[in-house]
Amino acid sequence: MKTNFGLEKYLTLLRPEYRKPICRLRVSAHRLLIEMGRYINTPRTERICKNCMCNDIEDEEHFIIRCNKFTKEREELFELISSKVKYFTHLQDKQKLFWILNCEELDILNSLGRFLTNIITLISYLIYTHLYYYYDNNHILKLHSKI
């Protein structure tokens, strides 16, 4: 997603609690199934989002742009972007993701950092209270209910 070589503005502008989730997302140091499945040889087509029922692969684009589980949390971010960039709502999803990850406006970066922090907190809560992942001796990702 990077278009030029150099220090990204968000690295110097944002507070650490917002900078960290953006950085993790951009370098694929996250726990989305698109990445986790690579380590355990899950076929890409089976790395389906467990948070919504749309049967999409859980990748960065799905997570930020489409996942129905996070529609409410996404509203603030998209409303802010749409107020500044009139054509944003007409972009295709890949273009939206590219635009968001290459944005240099501080208020939008802060909103993205808040959005990612809120979503990561929500997912952590859901995993802790209802579901958790673990690796068995064969390194197969399993989903189990704590209930």
Side-chain angles (χ1 to χ4, degrees):
M1 290 286 183
K2 201 167 162 82
T3 58
N4 57 5
F5 182 74
L7 182 67
E8 297 292 335
K9 284 191 177 184
Y10 78 93
L11 292 170
T12 58
L13 294 174
L14 295 179
R15 302 184 323 223
E17 62 267 22
Y18 292 164
R19 182 176 58 231
K20 184 177 177 181
I22 294 172
C23 186
R24 290 179 65 109
L25 188 77
R26 289 182 62 144
V27 301
S28 295
H30 50 65
R31 299 206 178 250
L32 298 178
L33 289 177
I34 192 67
E35 189 64 27
M36 299 302 292
R38 288 182 183 131
Y39 299 117
I40 57 171
N41 297 320
T42 301
R44 188 178 198 285
T45 56
E46 294 177 18
R47 301 176 200 170
I48 304 298
C49 180
K50 308 283 190 248
N51 294 304
C52 67
M53 305 304 278
C54 65
N55 257 357
D56 279 354
I57 292 172
E58 187 184 58
D59 60 9
E60 295 85 353
E61 181 182 326
H62 173 76
F63 182 66
I64 292 178
I65 308 295
R66 287 191 308 273
C67 187
N68 296 331
K69 180 76 173 180
F70 311 118
T71 300
K72 182 178 178 256
E73 290 81 3
R74 187 180 300 112
E75 283 177 8
E76 176 191 341
L77 174 63
F78 278 24
E79 284 177 11
L80 177 61
I81 295 171
S82 295
S83 73
K84 294 176 172 273
V85 182
K86 301 299 179 205
Y87 63 85
F88 182 78
T89 57
H90 300 291
L91 295 175
Q92 295 177 356
D93 289 348
K94 284 193 184 313
Q95 293 170 318
K96 287 178 182 177
L97 180 65
F98 183 83
W99 193 94
I100 289 169
L101 293 180
N102 286 287
C103 177
E104 294 184 342
E105 294 190 36
L106 182 59
D107 54 347
I108 293 174
L109 288 169
N110 276 317
S111 185
L112 174 61
R114 249 187 326 276
F115 168 72
L116 292 174
T117 300
N118 291 341
I119 297 308
I120 291 166
T121 301
L122 179 59
I123 289 173
S124 296
Y125 172 77
L126 291 173
I127 290 171
Y128 179 76
T129 58
H130 300 290
L131 303 170
Y132 66 98
Y133 294 91
Y134 78 97
Y135 296 93
D136 69 7
N137 293 333
N138 298 322
H139 303 289
I140 298 173
L141 185 64
K142 292 191 175 181
L143 181 65
H144 288 269
S145 173
K146 283 183 145 180
I147 300 172

